Amino acid sequence: MAFTLYSLIQTAILCTNAIASGVCACLYNWGFVLFQGNIGGFGDEPGIKAQLLNLIRSVRTVMRVPLIIVNTVCIVLLLLFG
Amino acid sequence: MALPHQGYRATKPRARAAPPSGDPLLFDDTSSGAPPINNQNYYESGYNMGAAAPAGQGASGANNLFTDPMASAAMMYGSSLANQGKDMVNKEISRFMSVNKLKYFFAVDTKYVVKKLMLLMFPYTHQDWEVRYHRDTPLTPRHDVNAPDLYIPTMAFITYILLAGMALGIQKRFSPEVLGLCASTALVWVIIEVLVMLLSLYLLTVHTDLSTFDLVAYSGYKYVGMIFTVLCGLLFGSDGYYVALAWSSCALMFFIVRSLKMKILSSLSADSMGAGASAKPRFRLYITVASAVFQPIIIYWLTAHLVR
């Protein structure tokens, strides 16, 4: 399994696309409803699910706009150079 | 004895003159007997020699350069421009990563490197795996053999790439693209491993003082095992390869488990009141063991195609 630089970039773009706007969106909504249901103590350490939801939410907030730009650039390049 | 030292020292102070933070733990030079107060003199003489070289050679060239006002003005302008550029680069880089933290990982000396290499290959007799502290900051690798460093992983990575090129050349399968491919593959695996470790440490809210550079260091130590394995495979054939693979895998697994146990398993959990605590040590154990088991897999994956 040989990684070129381009495949690495492609993988990163696809992964962040998935987290920010893809399948994980449904998971996020479903999980968010459940999470609101049982918050758990605020002094306690948040469980795995809460951490994961926090992570997904923060990635979506941060990466929305840059992802639009990067996706557009990627599409244009792929159209031009195949 | 004096002349080789002079040639050696003329390049070192140039790199050392940039950081004025002056942490004595970082910048004690334990590798030579010359007193550190000569640094400034060597730097000035090195700078003057470097400036006089383009004008010509020897003292007459230096005299001619300095008596010509235009050339000397241009030289001073050029040097101030270079200083400005250097400051700007430093400022930009320090926005992304703390350069001081990075310097901590490269403060090594020969004794540390030798002891660490022996520890990586034979960790079974080492007793004390605790990283020692000095007034709340971890000791530099120079003073503590348990501290992670980035010098060994970097050198091992480069040596591994060169060795891979050599191994492929022996089998007449070499081409220059292969070197780049090998380098980027190995680098990507390191990045993946560090990201997975960071993700799992974040998800399980394990509060350790393992920084990103620590994780890069610990996952870079496997390159030493890889180099040893590939060398044995080249020298002794397929049997030697598998024996060396088994040996370095066991040594590396033991090393990783013992090192990370101190950092991950015994760190304070945010939840110190009972209820969830029983799950946490189990997951932390899983992380440590998974990280250790991943090492032989990746060693095999990255070296099997070199020793056919």
Side-chain angles (χ1 to χ4, degrees), chain A residues 1-5 8 43-48 51-52 54-55 58, chain B residues 181 184-185 188-189 199 202-205 269-271 273 280 283 301:
Chain A
M1 194 187 312
F3 293 112
T4 59
L5 192 61
L8 174 65
D44 287 356
E45 152 186 329
I48 294 188
Q51 287 289 93
L52 204 52
N54 274 337
L55 182 66
S58 40
Chain B
L181 206 61
S184 56
T185 309
V188 161
W189 278 115
L199 190 69
Y202 170 75
L203 285 182
L204 294 178
T205 59
S269 157
D271 171 25
M273 29 181 151
K280 296 303 169 286
F283 282 131
W301 190 272

Side-chain angles (χ1 to χ4, degrees), chain B residues 82-97:
Chain B
N83 277 339
Q84 273 179 7
K86 191 171 65 169
D87 288 337
M88 197 166 57
V89 166
N90 274 343
K91 198 157 56 99
E92 296 298 318
I93 287 188
S94 63
R95 237 195 267 171
F96 292 114
M97 60 174 153

Side-chain angles (χ1 to χ4, degrees), chain B residues 159-174 178-179 230-231 234 306:
Chain B
T159 312
Y160 161 73
I161 296 172
L162 296 175
L163 204 58
M166 198 178 77
L168 287 177
I170 289 181
Q171 299 166 23
K172 312 245 184 334
R173 287 194 285 146
F174 181 77
V178 150
L179 273 186
V230 170
L231 270 180
L234 286 178
L306 297 177

Side-chain angles (χ1 to χ4, degrees), chain B residues 56 64 82 126 135-136 143 169-170 199 243 254 289-290:
Chain B
N64 281 344
H126 190 66
R135 295 187 222 139
D136 278 347
H143 300 100
I170 289 181
L199 190 69
V243 165
F254 190 85
V289 170

Side-chain angles (χ1 to χ4, degrees), chain B residues 121-203:
Chain B
M121 282 288 110
F122 195 78
Y124 308 109
T125 56
H126 190 66
Q127 307 293 356
D128 177 24
W129 292 86
E130 190 78 30
V131 177
R132 285 190 282 281
Y133 284 82
H134 167 79
R135 295 187 222 139
D136 278 347
T137 61
L139 275 181
T140 56
R142 208 169 267 164
H143 300 100
D144 173 24
V145 85
N146 291 321
D149 71 314
L150 277 176
Y151 172 80
I152 292 183
T154 319
M155 293 291 141
F157 180 72
I158 298 177
T159 312
Y160 161 73
I161 296 172
L162 296 175
L163 204 58
M166 198 178 77
L168 287 177
I170 289 181
Q171 299 166 23
K172 312 245 184 334
R173 287 194 285 146
F174 181 77
S175 72
E177 295 93 45
V178 150
L179 273 186
L181 206 61
C182 195
S184 56
T185 309
L187 200 63
V188 161
W189 278 115
V190 164
I191 291 176
I192 289 179
E193 181 181 351
V194 168
L195 283 181
V196 167
M197 278 290 286
L198 277 176
L199 190 69
S200 51
L201 284 180
Y202 170 75
L203 285 182

